[in-house]
């Protein structure tokens, strides 16, 4: 007698990868922006110095808002 045929099982496929979120247009995905330091009360002259600040568009995540 021939051997009993086993029922075939379905192959499990991996779920499709989640799409990468778009980068923030203001900070280019870093989460930080550079601000120019200004001095002086009236004219507010810009200096050569810079400071980093949290990107307010993406709140430091680096991903674009939906």
């Amino acid at each position: 007698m021939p051997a009993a045929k086993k029922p075939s099982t379905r192959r499990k496929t991996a779920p499709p990868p989640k799409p990468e979120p778009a980068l923030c247009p203001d900070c280019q995905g870093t989460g930080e922006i550079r601000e120019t330091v200004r001095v002086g009360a009236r004219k507010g002259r810009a200096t050569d110095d810079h400071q980093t600040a949290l990107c307010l568009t993406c709140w430091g995540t680096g991903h674009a808002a939906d």
Side-chain angles (χ1 to χ4, degrees):
M1 278 176 113
K5 192 173 187 179
K6 291 184 178 179
S8 62
T9 58
R10 291 186 178 178
R11 291 184 182 169
K12 294 182 180 179
T13 58
K18 293 182 180 180
E20 291 290 324
L23 296 178
C24 176
D26 292 344
C27 65
Q28 284 79 35
T30 61
E32 293 182 345
I33 55 173
R34 288 180 58 173
E35 292 285 331
T36 302
V37 176
R38 296 186 173 272
V39 294
R42 287 189 269 159
K43 292 186 180 181
R45 294 182 310 271
T47 63
D48 292 334
D49 300 318
H50 298 282
Q51 66 183 11
T52 59
L54 182 71
C55 179
L56 296 179
T57 305
C58 65
W59 291 96
T61 62
H63 304 302
D66 293 334

